[in-house]
């Protein structure tokens, strides 16, 4: 899996790394048990400080997406990610609320929001986007 890091983006690099790894998992480009590059190797490949990669990996580990082993290195969590529960839905609502608020302020309709959401879901699940 190739990461496309935008060094000019307002989004922090560690967030971009996290998001792209999770997206790779959603698209099944990264499968449970699959090995990821070491912190140092990924940092060198992208041309960024390895502490930035370490921060991304620690967040992904904390949220249950990856495991970090001294001998095996970094792998996509072999058991997969825990299913959505009440805590996850509360977190999801906290993240979506400001995005939806901004969309409403910018006159995005509920229909447009739903269509965009469906398009993204279809893309993540490998369904053809119409």
């Amino acid at each position: 899996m190739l990461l496309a890091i935008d060094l000019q983006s307002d989004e922090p690099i560690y967030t971009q790394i996290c998001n792209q790894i999770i997206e790779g998992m959603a698209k099944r480009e990264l499968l449970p048990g699959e090995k990821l590059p070491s912190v140092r190797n990924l940092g060198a490949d992208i041309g960024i400080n390895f502490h930035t990669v370490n921060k991304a990996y620690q967040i992904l580990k904390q949220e249950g997406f990856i495991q970090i082993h001294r001998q095996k290195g970094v792998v996509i969590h072999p058991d997969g990610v825990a299913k959505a529960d009440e805590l996850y839905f509360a977190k999801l609502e906290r993240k979506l609320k400001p995005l939806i608020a901004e969309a409403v302020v910018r006159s995005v309709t509920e229909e447009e929001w739903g269509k965009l959401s469906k398009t993204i879901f279809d893309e993540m699940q490998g369904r053809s986007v119409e």
Side-chain angles (χ1 to χ4, degrees):
M1 174 184 182
L2 292 176
L3 298 180
I5 302 301
D6 180 357
L7 300 176
Q8 305 305 316
S9 173
D10 291 338
E11 185 174 46
I13 294 171
Y14 71 88
T15 302
Q16 292 180 55
I17 293 169
C18 288
N19 290 345
Q20 288 187 37
I21 288 173
I22 294 168
E23 185 175 324
M25 294 171 68
K27 291 180 175 180
R28 293 185 173 39
E29 294 169 356
L30 294 171
L31 301 173
E34 190 168 335
K35 191 167 174 38
L36 294 176
S38 70
V39 168
R40 291 186 188 275
N41 285 346
L42 185 55
D45 289 348
I46 299 174
I48 60 171
N49 188 302
F50 74 89
H51 291 294
T52 303
V53 177
N54 188 54
K55 183 172 185 174
Y57 278 5
Q58 290 303 318
I59 291 168
L60 291 168
K61 177 183 174 188
Q62 180 181 351
E63 294 183 3
F65 292 103
I66 65 172
Q67 287 184 337
I68 301 174
H69 300 281
R70 288 183 190 253
Q71 294 87 6
K72 296 179 185 178
V74 181
V75 296
I76 301 299
H77 201 294
D79 299 330
V81 179
K83 300 288 183 211
D85 59 10
E86 287 182 38
L87 287 174
Y88 174 76
F89 279 108
K91 177 182 172 183
L92 184 60
E93 182 178 347
R94 283 192 310 274
K95 288 183 173 185
L96 283 175
K97 196 172 271 189
L99 294 174
I100 293 171
E102 181 179 350
V104 168
V105 169
R106 293 180 180 273
S107 300
V108 174
T109 67
E110 186 176 349
E111 181 181 332
E112 290 169 325
W113 179 272
K115 184 177 178 182
L116 178 59
S117 180
K118 181 175 179 353
T119 299
I120 294 168
F121 252 89
D122 288 347
E123 178 188 339
M124 293 299 138
Q125 295 180 336
R127 296 187 293 238
S128 62
V129 180
E130 298 173 11

